[in-house]
Amino acid sequence: AKGSIHNFGCAVDLTIADENGKPLDMGTIFDFFGVSAEPRREAEMLKSGKLSRQQVENRKLLRRVMLKAGFTSIQTEWWHFNALSRAKAKAKYGFIE
């Protein structure tokens, strides 16, 4: 009913690919909505062996790049980044259905 920040054109879902276009291993597939996809649980998933150190480092690289570009991350999806808060997006742009 209230949509997401995507509906205001202010969010992106993405990953990083290598020089051959192959996506880096982030530990889960894109749009996987389980515990192991959550950045807030990475230390726990690393400790339990459900994520590897390389997978966590790949996610950290993605976050560093996106944060440097001015986006913010969320704690439940490693692939999701916002350009604006929901309130600012709603005030500035129209809802896209």
Coordinates of all heavy atoms in Angstrom, one line a residue:
A1 N 0.8 -1.2 0.0 CA 0.0 0.0 0.0 C 0.9 1.3 0.0 O 0.5 2.2 -0.7 CB -0.9 0.0 1.2
K2 N 1.9 1.3 0.8 CA 2.8 2.5 0.8 C 4.0 2.3 -0.1 O 4.7 3.3 -0.3 CB 3.2 2.8 2.2 CG 4.1 1.8 2.9 CD 4.4 2.2 4.3 CE 5.4 1.2 4.9 NZ 5.8 1.7 6.2
G3 N 4.2 1.2 -0.7 CA 5.3 1.0 -1.7 C 6.6 1.0 -1.0 O 6.7 0.9 0.2
S4 N 7.6 1.0 -1.8 CA 9.0 1.0 -1.3 C 9.7 2.2 -1.9 O 9.1 2.9 -2.8 CB 9.8 -0.3 -1.7 OG 10.2 -0.2 -3.0
I5 N 10.9 2.5 -1.5 CA 11.7 3.6 -2.0 C 11.9 3.4 -3.5 O 12.1 4.3 -4.3 CB 12.9 3.8 -1.2 CG1 12.6 4.2 0.2 CG2 13.8 4.9 -1.8 CD1 13.7 4.4 1.1
H6 N 11.9 2.1 -4.0 CA 11.9 1.9 -5.4 C 10.8 2.6 -6.2 O 11.0 3.0 -7.3 CB 11.8 0.3 -5.7 CG 13.0 -0.4 -5.3 ND1 14.2 -0.4 -6.0 CD2 13.2 -1.3 -4.3 CE1 15.1 -1.2 -5.4 NE2 14.5 -1.8 -4.4
N7 N 9.6 2.6 -5.6 CA 8.5 3.2 -6.2 C 8.6 4.8 -6.4 O 7.8 5.4 -7.0 CB 7.2 2.9 -5.4 CG 6.8 1.5 -5.5 OD1 7.0 0.7 -4.5 ND2 6.4 1.0 -6.6
F8 N 9.6 5.3 -5.8 CA 9.9 6.8 -6.0 C 11.2 7.0 -6.9 O 11.6 8.1 -7.0 CB 10.1 7.4 -4.6 CG 8.8 7.4 -3.8 CD1 8.7 6.4 -2.8 CD2 7.8 8.3 -4.0 CE1 7.5 6.3 -2.1 CE2 6.6 8.2 -3.2 CZ 6.5 7.2 -2.3
G9 N 11.7 5.9 -7.4 CA 12.9 5.9 -8.2 C 14.2 6.3 -7.4 O 15.1 6.8 -8.0
C10 N 14.2 6.0 -6.1 CA 15.3 6.4 -5.2 C 16.0 5.2 -4.6 O 16.7 5.4 -3.6 CB 14.8 7.4 -4.2 SG 14.2 8.9 -4.9
A11 N 15.9 4.0 -5.1 CA 16.6 2.8 -4.6 C 17.0 2.0 -5.8 O 16.4 2.0 -6.8 CB 15.6 2.0 -3.7
V12 N 18.1 1.3 -5.5 CA 18.7 0.4 -6.5 C 19.0 -1.0 -5.9 O 19.4 -1.0 -4.7 CB 19.9 0.9 -7.3 CG1 19.6 2.1 -8.1 CG2 21.0 1.2 -6.3
D13 N 18.9 -2.0 -6.6 CA 19.3 -3.4 -6.2 C 20.4 -3.8 -7.1 O 20.2 -3.7 -8.4 CB 18.1 -4.4 -6.3 CG 17.1 -4.1 -5.3 OD1 17.3 -3.4 -4.3 OD2 15.9 -4.6 -5.5
L14 N 21.6 -4.1 -6.6 CA 22.7 -4.4 -7.5 C 23.7 -5.2 -6.8 O 23.7 -5.5 -5.6 CB 23.3 -3.1 -8.0 CG 24.2 -2.3 -7.0 CD1 25.1 -1.4 -7.8 CD2 23.3 -1.5 -6.1
T15 N 24.7 -5.7 -7.6 CA 25.8 -6.5 -7.1 C 27.1 -6.0 -7.9 O 27.0 -5.0 -8.7 CB 25.6 -8.0 -7.3 OG1 26.7 -8.7 -6.5 CG2 25.7 -8.4 -8.7
I16 N 28.2 -6.6 -7.7 CA 29.4 -6.3 -8.4 C 29.8 -7.5 -9.2 O 29.7 -8.6 -8.8 CB 30.6 -6.0 -7.4 CG1 30.3 -4.7 -6.5 CG2 31.9 -5.8 -8.1 CD1 31.3 -4.4 -5.5
A17 N 30.3 -7.2 -10.4 CA 30.8 -8.2 -11.3 C 32.3 -8.1 -11.5 O 32.8 -7.0 -11.4 CB 30.0 -8.2 -12.7
D18 N 32.9 -9.2 -11.9 CA 34.4 -9.1 -12.2 C 34.6 -8.6 -13.6 O 33.6 -8.3 -14.3 CB 35.0 -10.4 -11.9 CG 34.6 -11.6 -12.9 OD1 34.0 -11.3 -14.0 OD2 34.9 -12.7 -12.6
E19 N 35.8 -8.5 -14.1 CA 36.1 -8.0 -15.4 C 35.5 -8.8 -16.5 O 35.4 -8.3 -17.7 CB 37.7 -7.9 -15.6 CG 38.4 -9.2 -15.5 CD 38.7 -9.7 -14.2 OE1 38.4 -9.1 -13.1 OE2 39.4 -10.8 -14.1
N20 N 35.1 -10.0 -16.2 CA 34.4 -10.8 -17.3 C 32.9 -10.8 -17.2 O 32.2 -11.5 -17.9 CB 34.9 -12.3 -17.1 CG 36.4 -12.4 -17.4 OD1 36.9 -11.9 -18.4 ND2 37.1 -13.1 -16.5
G21 N 32.4 -10.0 -16.3 CA 30.9 -9.8 -16.1 C 30.3 -10.9 -15.2 O 29.1 -10.9 -15.1
K22 N 31.1 -11.7 -14.5 CA 30.6 -12.7 -13.6 C 30.4 -12.0 -12.2 O 31.3 -11.4 -11.7 CB 31.6 -13.8 -13.5 CG 31.1 -14.9 -12.5 CD 32.2 -16.0 -12.4 CE 31.6 -17.0 -11.4 NZ 32.7 -18.0 -11.0
P23 N 29.2 -12.1 -11.7 CA 28.9 -11.6 -10.4 C 29.8 -12.2 -9.3 O 30.1 -13.4 -9.3 CB 27.4 -11.9 -10.1 CG 26.9 -12.2 -11.5 CD 28.0 -12.8 -12.3
L24 N 30.3 -11.3 -8.4 CA 31.0 -11.8 -7.3 C 30.1 -12.6 -6.4 O 28.9 -12.4 -6.3 CB 31.6 -10.6 -6.5 CG 32.6 -9.7 -7.2 CD1 33.2 -8.7 -6.2 CD2 33.7 -10.5 -7.9
D25 N 30.7 -13.6 -5.6 CA 29.9 -14.4 -4.7 C 29.6 -13.6 -3.5 O 30.5 -13.3 -2.7 CB 30.8 -15.7 -4.4 CG 30.0 -16.7 -3.5 OD1 28.9 -16.4 -3.1 OD2 30.6 -17.7 -3.3
M26 N 28.3 -13.4 -3.2 CA 27.9 -12.7 -2.1 C 27.3 -13.6 -1.0 O 26.8 -13.1 0.0 CB 26.9 -11.6 -2.5 CG 27.4 -10.6 -3.4 SD 28.7 -9.5 -2.7 CE 29.0 -8.3 -4.0
G27 N 27.3 -14.9 -1.3 CA 26.8 -15.8 -0.3 C 25.4 -16.2 -0.4 O 25.0 -17.3 0.0
T28 N 24.6 -15.4 -1.1 CA 23.2 -15.8 -1.4 C 22.9 -15.2 -2.8 O 23.6 -14.3 -3.3 CB 22.2 -15.2 -0.5 OG1 22.1 -13.8 -0.7 CG2 22.5 -15.5 1.0
I29 N 21.9 -15.7 -3.4 CA 21.4 -15.2 -4.7 C 20.8 -13.8 -4.4 O 20.4 -13.5 -3.3 CB 20.4 -16.1 -5.4 CG1 19.2 -16.4 -4.6 CG2 21.1 -17.4 -5.8 CD1 18.1 -17.1 -5.3
F30 N 20.7 -13.0 -5.4 CA 20.0 -11.7 -5.4 C 18.5 -12.0 -5.1 O 17.9 -12.9 -5.5 CB 20.2 -11.2 -6.8 CG 19.7 -9.8 -7.0 CD1 20.5 -8.7 -6.6 CD2 18.4 -9.5 -7.6 CE1 20.0 -7.4 -6.9 CE2 18.0 -8.3 -7.8 CZ 18.8 -7.2 -7.4
D31 N 18.0 -11.1 -4.2 CA 16.6 -11.2 -3.8 C 16.3 -12.5 -3.0 O 15.1 -13.0 -2.9 CB 15.6 -11.1 -4.9 CG 15.3 -9.7 -5.3 OD1 15.7 -8.8 -4.6 OD2 14.7 -9.5 -6.4
F32 N 17.3 -13.0 -2.3 CA 17.1 -14.1 -1.3 C 16.7 -13.5 0.0 O 17.5 -12.7 0.6 CB 18.3 -15.0 -1.2 CG 18.2 -16.0 -0.1 CD1 17.5 -17.2 -0.3 CD2 18.8 -15.8 1.1 CE1 17.4 -18.1 0.7 CE2 18.7 -16.7 2.2 CZ 18.0 -17.9 1.9
F33 N 15.5 -13.8 0.5 CA 15.1 -13.1 1.7 C 15.2 -14.0 3.0 O 14.2 -14.1 3.7 CB 13.6 -12.6 1.5 CG 13.6 -11.5 0.5 CD1 13.1 -11.8 -0.8 CD2 14.1 -10.2 0.7 CE1 13.1 -10.9 -1.8 CE2 14.0 -9.3 -0.3 CZ 13.5 -9.6 -1.6
G34 N 16.4 -14.5 3.2 CA 16.6 -15.3 4.4 C 17.7 -14.6 5.3 O 18.3 -13.6 4.9
V35 N 17.9 -15.2 6.4 CA 18.8 -14.6 7.4 C 20.2 -14.4 6.8 O 20.9 -13.4 7.1 CB 18.9 -15.5 8.7 CG1 20.0 -15.1 9.6 CG2 17.6 -15.5 9.3
S36 N 20.7 -15.3 6.0 CA 22.1 -15.2 5.5 C 22.3 -14.0 4.5 O 23.4 -13.7 4.1 CB 22.6 -16.5 4.9 OG 21.7 -16.9 3.9
A37 N 21.2 -13.4 4.1 CA 21.3 -12.2 3.2 C 21.4 -10.9 3.9 O 21.7 -9.9 3.3 CB 20.0 -12.2 2.3
E38 N 21.2 -11.0 5.2 CA 21.1 -9.8 6.0 C 22.5 -9.3 6.5 O 23.2 -10.0 7.2 CB 20.3 -10.0 7.3 CG 18.9 -10.4 7.0 CD 18.0 -10.6 8.2 OE1 18.5 -10.3 9.3 OE2 16.9 -11.1 8.0
P39 N 22.9 -8.1 6.1 CA 24.2 -7.5 6.5 C 24.4 -7.5 8.0 O 25.4 -7.8 8.6 CB 24.2 -6.1 6.0 CG 23.4 -6.2 4.7 CD 22.3 -7.2 5.1
R40 N 23.3 -7.3 8.8 CA 23.4 -7.2 10.2 C 23.7 -8.6 10.8 O 24.1 -8.7 12.0 CB 22.1 -6.7 10.8 CG 20.9 -7.6 10.6 CD 19.6 -7.0 11.1 NE 18.5 -7.8 10.7 CZ 17.2 -7.4 10.7 NH1 17.0 -6.2 11.2 NH2 16.2 -8.1 10.3
R41 N 23.6 -9.6 10.1 CA 23.9 -11.0 10.6 C 25.2 -11.6 10.0 O 25.4 -12.8 10.2 CB 22.7 -11.9 10.2 CG 21.3 -11.4 10.6 CD 21.0 -11.5 12.1 NE 20.7 -12.8 12.6 CZ 19.5 -13.3 12.6 NH1 18.5 -12.8 12.0 NH2 19.3 -14.5 13.2
E42 N 25.9 -10.8 9.3 CA 27.1 -11.3 8.6 C 28.1 -11.9 9.6 O 28.7 -13.0 9.3 CB 27.8 -10.2 7.8 CG 27.0 -10.0 6.5 CD 27.5 -8.8 5.7 OE1 28.3 -8.0 6.2 OE2 26.9 -8.6 4.6
A43 N 28.4 -11.3 10.7 CA 29.4 -11.8 11.7 C 28.9 -13.2 12.2 O 29.7 -14.1 12.3 CB 29.6 -10.9 12.8
E44 N 27.6 -13.3 12.5 CA 27.0 -14.5 13.0 C 27.1 -15.6 11.9 O 27.5 -16.8 12.2 CB 25.6 -14.3 13.3 CG 24.7 -15.4 13.7 CD 23.3 -15.1 13.8 OE1 22.9 -13.9 14.0 OE2 22.4 -16.0 13.7
M45 N 26.8 -15.3 10.6 CA 26.8 -16.2 9.5 C 28.3 -16.6 9.2 O 28.5 -17.8 8.9 CB 26.2 -15.6 8.3 CG 24.7 -15.3 8.4 SD 23.7 -16.8 8.6 CE 23.3 -16.7 10.3
L46 N 29.2 -15.7 9.4 CA 30.6 -16.1 9.2 C 31.1 -17.0 10.2 O 31.7 -18.1 10.0 CB 31.5 -14.8 9.2 CG 33.0 -14.9 9.0 CD1 33.3 -15.6 7.6 CD2 33.6 -13.6 9.1
K47 N 30.8 -16.7 11.5 CA 31.2 -17.6 12.6 C 30.6 -19.0 12.5 O 31.2 -20.0 12.8 CB 30.7 -16.9 13.9 CG 31.2 -17.6 15.2 CD 30.9 -16.9 16.4 CE 31.4 -17.6 17.6 NZ 31.1 -16.9 18.9
S48 N 29.3 -19.1 12.0 CA 28.7 -20.4 11.9 C 29.1 -21.1 10.6 O 28.7 -22.3 10.4 CB 27.2 -20.2 12.0 OG 26.7 -19.6 10.8
G49 N 29.8 -20.5 9.7 CA 30.2 -21.1 8.5 C 29.2 -21.0 7.4 O 29.4 -21.6 6.3
K50 N 28.2 -20.3 7.6 CA 27.1 -20.1 6.5 C 27.5 -19.1 5.5 O 27.0 -19.1 4.4 CB 25.8 -19.8 7.2 CG 25.3 -20.9 8.0 CD 23.9 -20.6 8.6 CE 23.5 -21.9 9.4 NZ 22.3 -21.6 10.2
L51 N 28.5 -18.2 5.8 CA 29.1 -17.3 4.9 C 30.6 -17.5 5.0 O 31.1 -17.7 6.1 CB 28.7 -15.9 5.1 CG 27.3 -15.4 4.8 CD1 27.1 -13.9 5.3 CD2 26.9 -15.6 3.4
S52 N 31.3 -17.3 3.9 CA 32.8 -17.4 3.9 C 33.3 -15.9 4.1 O 32.6 -15.0 3.9 CB 33.3 -18.0 2.6 OG 33.2 -17.0 1.6
R53 N 34.6 -15.9 4.5 CA 35.2 -14.6 4.7 C 35.2 -13.8 3.3 O 35.0 -12.6 3.3 CB 36.7 -14.7 5.1 CG 37.4 -13.4 5.3 CD 38.4 -13.3 6.4 NE 38.1 -13.9 7.7 CZ 37.4 -13.3 8.6 NH1 36.9 -12.1 8.4 NH2 37.2 -13.9 9.8
Q54 N 35.4 -14.5 2.2 CA 35.4 -13.8 0.9 C 34.0 -13.3 0.6 O 33.9 -12.2 0.0 CB 35.9 -14.8 -0.2 CG 36.1 -14.1 -1.5 CD 37.1 -13.0 -1.5 OE1 38.2 -13.2 -1.2 NE2 36.7 -11.8 -1.9
Q55 N 33.0 -14.0 0.9 CA 31.6 -13.5 0.6 C 31.4 -12.3 1.4 O 30.8 -11.3 0.9 CB 30.6 -14.6 1.0 CG 30.7 -15.8 0.0 CD 30.0 -17.0 0.5 OE1 29.8 -17.2 1.7 NE2 29.5 -17.9 -0.4
V56 N 31.8 -12.2 2.7 CA 31.6 -11.1 3.5 C 32.4 -9.9 3.0 O 31.9 -8.8 2.9 CB 31.9 -11.4 5.0 CG1 31.9 -10.1 5.9 CG2 30.9 -12.4 5.6
E57 N 33.6 -10.2 2.6 CA 34.5 -9.1 2.0 C 33.9 -8.5 0.7 O 33.9 -7.3 0.5 CB 35.9 -9.6 1.8 CG 36.7 -9.8 3.1 CD 36.8 -8.6 4.0 OE1 37.0 -7.5 3.5 OE2 36.5 -8.8 5.2
N58 N 33.3 -9.4 -0.1 CA 32.6 -8.9 -1.3 C 31.5 -8.0 -1.0 O 31.3 -7.0 -1.6 CB 32.2 -10.1 -2.2 CG 33.3 -10.9 -2.8 OD1 34.4 -10.4 -2.8 ND2 33.0 -12.1 -3.2
R59 N 30.7 -8.3 0.0 CA 29.6 -7.5 0.5 C 30.1 -6.2 1.0 O 29.5 -5.1 0.7 CB 28.8 -8.2 1.5 CG 28.0 -9.4 1.1 CD 27.3 -10.0 2.2 NE 26.6 -11.2 1.8 CZ 25.6 -11.7 2.6 NH1 25.3 -11.1 3.7 NH2 24.9 -12.8 2.2
K60 N 31.2 -6.2 1.8 CA 31.7 -5.0 2.3 C 32.2 -4.1 1.2 O 32.1 -2.9 1.3 CB 32.9 -5.3 3.3 CG 32.4 -5.9 4.6 CD 33.5 -6.2 5.6 CE 33.1 -6.7 6.9 NZ 34.2 -7.0 7.8
L61 N 32.8 -4.7 0.2 CA 33.3 -3.9 -0.9 C 32.1 -3.2 -1.6 O 32.2 -2.0 -1.9 CB 34.0 -4.8 -2.0 CG 34.4 -4.1 -3.3 CD1 35.4 -3.0 -3.0 CD2 35.0 -5.1 -4.2
L62 N 31.0 -3.9 -1.8 CA 29.8 -3.3 -2.4 C 29.3 -2.1 -1.6 O 29.0 -1.1 -2.1 CB 28.8 -4.4 -2.6 CG 27.4 -3.9 -3.2 CD1 27.6 -3.2 -4.6 CD2 26.4 -5.0 -3.2
R63 N 29.3 -2.4 -0.3 CA 28.8 -1.3 0.6 C 29.7 -0.1 0.6 O 29.2 1.1 0.6 CB 28.6 -1.8 2.1 CG 27.4 -2.7 2.2 CD 27.0 -2.9 3.7 NE 28.0 -3.6 4.4 CZ 28.0 -4.9 4.5 NH1 27.1 -5.7 3.9 NH2 28.9 -5.5 5.3
R64 N 31.0 -0.3 0.6 CA 32.0 0.8 0.6 C 31.8 1.7 -0.6 O 31.7 2.9 -0.6 CB 33.4 0.3 0.7 CG 33.9 0.0 2.1 CD 35.4 -0.1 2.1 NE 36.0 -1.1 1.2 CZ 36.1 -2.4 1.4 NH1 35.7 -2.9 2.5 NH2 36.7 -3.1 0.4
V65 N 31.7 1.0 -1.8 CA 31.5 1.7 -3.1 C 30.2 2.5 -3.1 O 30.2 3.7 -3.4 CB 31.6 0.7 -4.2 CG1 31.1 1.4 -5.5 CG2 32.9 0.1 -4.4
M66 N 29.2 1.9 -2.6 CA 27.9 2.6 -2.7 C 27.8 3.7 -1.6 O 27.2 4.8 -1.9 CB 26.7 1.5 -2.5 CG 26.6 0.6 -3.6 SD 26.4 1.4 -5.2 CE 24.7 2.0 -5.1
L67 N 28.3 3.5 -0.4 CA 28.3 4.5 0.6 C 29.1 5.7 0.1 O 28.7 6.9 0.3 CB 28.8 4.0 1.9 CG 27.9 3.0 2.6 CD1 28.6 2.4 3.8 CD2 26.6 3.5 2.9
K68 N 30.3 5.5 -0.5 CA 31.1 6.5 -1.1 C 30.4 7.3 -2.1 O 30.6 8.5 -2.3 CB 32.4 6.0 -1.6 CG 33.4 7.0 -2.0 CD 34.8 6.5 -2.3 CE 35.7 7.6 -2.6 NZ 37.1 7.2 -2.8
A69 N 29.5 6.6 -2.9 CA 28.7 7.3 -3.9 C 27.5 8.0 -3.4 O 26.7 8.6 -4.2 CB 28.3 6.3 -5.0
G70 N 27.3 8.0 -2.1 CA 26.2 8.7 -1.5 C 24.9 8.0 -1.1 O 24.0 8.5 -0.7
F71 N 25.0 6.7 -1.4 CA 23.8 5.8 -1.0 C 23.9 5.3 0.4 O 25.0 5.4 1.0 CB 23.7 4.6 -2.0 CG 23.4 4.9 -3.4 CD1 24.3 5.4 -4.3 CD2 22.1 4.8 -3.8 CE1 24.0 5.8 -5.6 CE2 21.7 5.1 -5.1 CZ 22.7 5.6 -6.0
T72 N 22.8 4.9 0.9 CA 22.8 4.2 2.2 C 22.3 2.8 2.0 O 21.6 2.4 1.1 CB 21.8 4.9 3.2 OG1 20.5 4.9 2.6 CG2 22.2 6.3 3.5
S73 N 22.8 1.9 2.9 CA 22.4 0.5 2.9 C 21.3 0.2 3.9 O 21.0 1.0 4.8 CB 23.6 -0.4 3.1 OG 24.1 -0.2 4.4
I74 N 20.7 -1.0 3.7 CA 19.8 -1.4 4.7 C 20.3 -2.7 5.4 O 21.2 -3.3 4.8 CB 18.3 -1.6 4.2 CG1 18.3 -2.7 3.1 CG2 17.8 -0.3 3.6 CD1 16.9 -3.1 2.6
Q75 N 19.8 -3.1 6.5 CA 20.3 -4.2 7.3 C 19.7 -5.6 6.9 O 20.1 -6.5 7.5 CB 20.2 -3.9 8.8 CG 21.1 -2.8 9.2 CD 22.6 -3.1 9.0 OE1 23.1 -4.2 9.4 NE2 23.3 -2.3 8.3
T76 N 18.8 -5.6 6.0 CA 18.1 -6.9 5.7 C 18.4 -7.4 4.3 O 18.1 -8.5 4.0 CB 16.6 -6.7 5.9 OG1 16.2 -5.6 5.0 CG2 16.3 -6.5 7.3
E77 N 19.0 -6.6 3.4 CA 19.3 -7.0 2.0 C 20.7 -6.5 1.6 O 20.9 -5.3 1.5 CB 18.3 -6.5 1.1 CG 16.9 -6.9 1.4 CD 15.8 -6.2 0.6 OE1 16.1 -5.4 -0.3 OE2 14.6 -6.4 0.9
W78 N 21.7 -7.4 1.3 CA 23.0 -6.9 1.0 C 23.0 -6.1 -0.4 O 23.9 -5.4 -0.6 CB 24.0 -8.1 0.9 CG 23.7 -9.2 -0.1 CD1 23.1 -10.4 0.2 CD2 23.9 -9.2 -1.5 NE1 23.0 -11.1 -0.9 CE2 23.5 -10.4 -2.0 CE3 24.5 -8.3 -2.4 CZ2 23.5 -10.8 -3.3 CZ3 24.5 -8.6 -3.7 CH2 24.1 -9.8 -4.2
W79 N 22.0 -6.3 -1.2 CA 22.0 -5.8 -2.6 C 21.2 -4.5 -2.7 O 21.2 -3.8 -3.7 CB 21.3 -6.8 -3.5 CG 19.9 -7.2 -3.1 CD1 18.8 -6.5 -3.3 CD2 19.6 -8.2 -2.2 NE1 17.7 -7.1 -2.7 CE2 18.2 -8.2 -2.0 CE3 20.3 -9.3 -1.6 CZ2 17.5 -9.1 -1.2 CZ3 19.6 -10.2 -0.9 CH2 18.2 -10.1 -0.7
H80 N 20.5 -4.0 -1.6 CA 19.6 -2.9 -1.7 C 20.3 -1.6 -1.2 O 20.8 -1.6 0.0 CB 18.4 -3.2 -0.9 CG 17.4 -2.0 -0.9 ND1 16.3 -2.1 -1.7 CD2 17.4 -0.9 -0.2 CE1 15.6 -0.9 -1.5 NE2 16.2 -0.2 -0.6
F81 N 20.2 -0.5 -1.9 CA 20.8 0.8 -1.5 C 19.8 1.9 -1.9 O 19.2 1.9 -2.9 CB 22.1 1.0 -2.2 CG 23.2 0.0 -1.8 CD1 23.3 -1.2 -2.5 CD2 24.0 0.3 -0.7 CE1 24.2 -2.1 -2.0 CE2 24.9 -0.6 -0.3 CZ 25.0 -1.9 -1.0
N82 N 19.7 2.9 -1.0 CA 18.8 4.0 -1.1 C 19.6 5.3 -1.4 O 20.6 5.5 -0.8 CB 18.0 4.2 0.2 CG 17.1 3.1 0.5 OD1 16.5 2.4 -0.4 ND2 16.9 2.8 1.8
A83 N 19.0 6.1 -2.3 CA 19.6 7.4 -2.6 C 19.0 8.4 -1.6 O 19.7 9.4 -1.3 CB 19.3 7.8 -4.0
L84 N 17.8 8.2 -1.2 CA 17.2 9.2 -0.2 C 16.4 8.4 0.8 O 16.0 7.2 0.6 CB 16.2 10.1 -1.0 CG 16.7 11.0 -2.1 CD1 15.5 11.7 -2.8 CD2 17.6 12.0 -1.4
S85 N 16.0 9.0 1.9 CA 15.1 8.4 2.8 C 13.7 8.3 2.2 O 13.4 9.0 1.2 CB 15.0 9.2 4.1 OG 14.4 10.4 3.9
R86 N 12.9 7.5 2.8 CA 11.5 7.4 2.3 C 10.8 8.7 2.3 O 10.1 9.2 1.4 CB 10.7 6.3 3.1 CG 9.2 6.2 2.6 CD 8.4 5.3 3.5 NE 8.9 4.0 3.4 CZ 8.6 3.1 2.5 NH1 7.8 3.4 1.5 NH2 9.1 1.9 2.5
A87 N 10.9 9.4 3.4 CA 10.3 10.7 3.6 C 10.7 11.7 2.5 O 9.9 12.4 1.9 CB 10.5 11.3 5.0
K88 N 12.0 11.8 2.3 CA 12.6 12.7 1.3 C 12.2 12.3 -0.1 O 11.8 13.2 -1.0 CB 14.1 12.8 1.4 CG 14.6 13.6 2.6 CD 16.1 13.7 2.6 CE 16.5 14.5 3.8 NZ 18.0 14.5 4.0
A89 N 12.2 11.0 -0.4 CA 11.8 10.5 -1.7 C 10.3 10.9 -2.0 O 10.0 11.3 -3.1 CB 12.0 9.0 -1.8
K90 N 9.5 10.7 -1.0 CA 8.0 10.9 -1.1 C 7.8 12.4 -1.3 O 6.9 12.8 -2.1 CB 7.3 10.4 0.1 CG 5.8 10.5 0.0 CD 5.2 9.9 1.3 CE 3.7 9.9 1.1 NZ 3.0 9.3 2.3
A91 N 8.5 13.3 -0.6 CA 8.3 14.7 -0.8 C 8.8 15.2 -2.1 O 8.3 16.2 -2.7 CB 9.0 15.4 0.4
K92 N 9.9 14.6 -2.6 CA 10.5 15.1 -3.8 C 10.0 14.6 -5.1 O 10.0 15.2 -6.1 CB 12.0 14.9 -3.7 CG 12.8 15.6 -4.7 CD 14.3 15.5 -4.4 CE 15.1 16.3 -5.4 NZ 16.5 16.5 -5.1
Y93 N 9.6 13.3 -5.1 CA 9.2 12.6 -6.3 C 7.8 11.9 -6.2 O 7.4 11.6 -5.1 CB 10.2 11.5 -6.7 CG 11.6 12.0 -6.8 CD1 12.6 11.8 -5.9 CD2 11.9 12.8 -8.0 CE1 13.9 12.3 -6.0 CE2 13.2 13.3 -8.1 CZ 14.2 13.0 -7.2 OH 15.4 13.5 -7.3
G94 N 7.2 11.7 -7.3 CA 5.9 11.0 -7.3 C 6.1 9.5 -7.2 O 7.1 9.0 -7.5
F95 N 5.0 8.9 -6.8 CA 4.9 7.4 -6.7 C 4.9 6.8 -8.1 O 4.1 7.2 -8.9 CB 3.7 7.0 -5.9 CG 3.6 5.6 -5.5 CD1 4.3 5.2 -4.3 CD2 2.9 4.7 -6.2 CE1 4.2 3.9 -3.9 CE2 2.8 3.4 -5.8 CZ 3.5 2.9 -4.6
I96 N 5.7 5.8 -8.4 CA 5.7 5.1 -9.6 C 5.1 3.7 -9.4 O 5.6 3.0 -8.6 CB 7.2 4.9 -10.2 CG1 7.9 6.2 -10.3 CG2 7.2 4.1 -11.5 CD1 9.4 6.1 -10.5
E97 N 4.0 3.4 -10.1 CA 3.4 2.1 -10.0 C 3.9 1.1 -10.9 O 4.4 1.4 -12.0 CB 1.9 2.3 -10.1 CG 1.3 3.1 -9.0 CD -0.2 3.1 -9.1 OE1 -0.8 2.1 -9.3 OE2 -0.8 4.2 -8.8

